[in-house]
Amino acid sequence: ASTRMVVAPRYDVLELKYGDGSPAVLRHVDGSGFAYYQSGRKAVCISAHGRDGKGKTRRFAAIVHADSAKSPVLAAFDEWGRGYADGQLNAGDESPPKLIIGEASLMVVDGAGRSTEVPLTPAGGKRPTGEAGSAEVALRINSVLMLVHKKGRTSLDFDGGGGVRHTFVLGELFGEEVLGMPSPTLHSLAEETMRQIGEATQALDEMRGKVNGLKVNPTQGGRHAG
């Protein structure tokens, strides 16, 4: 018989609320979840992809929505951190600034339509010692969201107001903990472990009873009672 190892949750659920009790940030034990505007609309939808041997989530993708009735998409990044973000239109801009991150380069388009492209330096400590990141860029998406790319790492800084702040790291992690996620308490983890063991034992007992009760009669074409 094979033995399957159950990996305990790496984190507790993160739940931040606004002063009126409405949800601001909710992330599940794998780091996936949402950030909400004070209006109640979703601001950030983040999804978790892959786990390492220690139960840590490897990669995060995200979609950012505007705080308006149809919730148009303002930014989208896949689990490898590749994607785009449309910035906030500032005074004097002909068009919203934009940030585009590809596999090997990063492109910034300013409000006048001028573009600048720089090569990307890999995140995860793969740079030569002493070398700075290839690009350090901050793009304000709207009044509550800032996209930051620094030293090969892309993150979304969410400031919903009323002291609610959280940072979502995008793309691939390299063994780091998920920023801002609480560790599970030993008390709750022990209770959960005991509950799982109890359920597994009960299920095994029920299955054992069913197996013992099987009475196959070859003359009945394989039909059995129970």
Side-chain angles (χ1 to χ4, degrees):
S2 62
T3 302
R4 183 169 64 91
M5 181 179 292
V6 177
V7 179
R10 186 75 190 179
Y11 308 104
D12 266 345
V13 169
L14 174 68
E15 187 176 16
L16 304 179
K17 295 183 178 182
Y18 291 113
D20 62 359
S22 61
V25 177
L26 176 62
R27 298 187 74 171
H28 300 289
V29 295
D30 63 353
S32 61
F34 304 94
Y36 299 88
Y37 294 109
Q38 291 197 31
S39 65
R41 300 186 183 98
K42 289 185 178 70
V44 179
C45 304
I46 189 155
S47 57
H49 301 263
R51 289 191 181 186
D52 63 17
K54 296 181 179 180
K56 294 181 182 179
T57 300
R58 292 180 183 272
R59 301 177 298 277
F60 287 100
I63 297 177
V64 176
H65 295 278
D67 187 11
S68 59
K70 294 185 178 180
S71 297
V73 174
L74 299 178
F77 290 88
D78 67 15
E79 61 189 281
W80 302 103
R82 297 171 300 204
Y84 75 93
D86 291 327
Q88 182 174 268
L89 190 66
N90 299 308
D93 286 347
E94 298 175 4
S95 58
K98 182 186 288 282
L99 176 65
I100 304 167
I101 300 178
E103 289 188 19
S105 64
L106 177 152
M107 180 181 291
V108 178
V109 182
D110 66 19
R114 295 184 296 264
S115 62
T116 303
E117 187 172 4
V118 295
L120 287 176
T121 300
K126 297 182 180 180
R127 299 179 300 276
T129 303
E131 180 183 340
S134 59
E136 295 189 7
V137 180
L139 178 72
R140 177 155 293 284
I141 296 176
N142 57 25
S143 61
V144 304
L145 284 162
M146 176 83 79
L147 184 75
V148 177
H149 182 87
K150 184 176 182 180
K151 295 183 178 179
R153 171 69 73 221
T154 304
S155 59
L156 270 171
D157 291 339
F158 175 77
D159 186 347
V164 175
R165 295 182 178 89
H166 187 71
T167 296
F168 299 91
V169 177
L170 309 182
E172 187 173 11
L173 302 184
F174 294 88
E176 310 105 296
E177 299 292 347
V178 179
L179 191 64
M181 291 293 290
S183 299
T185 61
L186 292 176
H187 180 67
S188 63
L189 180 59
E191 287 182 346
E192 178 66 12
T193 301
M194 292 304 294
R195 185 187 67 78
Q196 291 175 348
I197 291 174
E199 289 181 353
T201 301
Q202 182 180 354
L204 285 171
D205 287 343
E206 291 175 355
M207 182 60 67
R208 189 178 298 111
K210 290 181 179 180
V211 170
N212 291 337
L214 289 178
K215 302 296 182 182
V216 179
N217 187 336
T219 64
Q220 295 180 327
R223 289 180 296 170
H224 60 81

